[in-house]
Amino acid sequence: QVQLVESGGGLVQAGGSLRLSCAASGRTFSNHAVGWFRQAPGKEREFVAGFSRGGTMTSYADSVKGRFSISKDNAKLTVFLQMNSLKPEDTAVYYCAASSSVIVTSSSLVNYWGQGTQVTVSS
């Protein structure tokens, strides 16, 4: 069983930064692709950024390229999402996700979800 626990959400003004953390259990990093999704009110859950299984490749949604950066600490089994130049449209609940697929860019491929952390960007 994979457990994912997010932290680091909050309220920030437009143009500000936040860093989200996702603490994973067990051998998540070596056996799963891990990443971040988000869901705004009234919208579908969408891919934000992710590592391939084994962590050799990263991918980003077009809407966050150049502003968000995903990283990980293998020793601490933690994945981070550094979010810079935040915009009001980045407001959403952010979810950490893990998948047995090679890379996870669709919520349909996710096997495990974290509980989510709220990010609110004020204008």
Side-chain angles (χ1 to χ4, degrees), residues 4 6 22 33-37 95-99 104 110-114:
L4 305 168
E6 303 99 331
C22 172
V34 293
W36 292 92
F37 287 72
Y95 296 90
C96 186
S99 171
V104 55
V110 174
N111 300 113
Y112 303 98
W113 293 101

Side-chain angles (χ1 to χ4, degrees), residues 20-36:
L20 306 183
S21 299
C22 172
S25 64
R27 299 173 60 188
T28 306
F29 284 6
S30 60
N31 294 343
H32 295 82
V34 293
W36 292 92

Side-chain angles (χ1 to χ4, degrees), residues 47-68:
F47 170 75
V48 176
F51 278 107
S52 62
R53 193 171 63 208
T56 57
M57 294 188 301
T58 58
S59 59
Y60 294 91
D62 288 342
S63 59
V64 306
K65 282 181 181 177
R67 300 188 300 121
F68 291 13

Side-chain angles (χ1 to χ4, degrees), residues 5-114:
V5 180
E6 303 99 331
S7 61
L11 173 65
V12 65
Q13 289 188 330
S17 299
L18 281 175
R19 189 175 82 154
L20 306 183
S21 299
C22 172
S25 64
R27 299 173 60 188
T28 306
F29 284 6
S30 60
N31 294 343
H32 295 82
V34 293
W36 292 92
F37 287 72
R38 66 186 181 186
Q39 188 167 20
K43 295 187 177 181
E44 293 187 352
R45 196 168 295 188
E46 64 177 4
F47 170 75
V48 176
F51 278 107
S52 62
R53 193 171 63 208
T56 57
M57 294 188 301
T58 58
S59 59
Y60 294 91
D62 288 342
S63 59
V64 306
K65 282 181 181 177
R67 300 188 300 121
F68 291 13
S69 178
I70 190 170
S71 61
K72 59 187 176 71
D73 184 329
N74 289 331
K76 296 182 179 180
L77 299 179
T78 302
V79 178
F80 303 99
L81 184 68
Q82 178 66 43
M83 304 185 295
N84 298 327
S85 301
L86 282 161
K87 304 175 181 180
E89 51 264 43
D90 294 318
T91 295
V93 178
Y94 283 70
Y95 296 90
C96 186
S99 171
S100 58
S101 300
V102 172
I103 193 162
V104 55
T105 56
S106 169
S107 59
S108 64
L109 297 175
V110 174
N111 300 113
Y112 303 98
W113 293 101

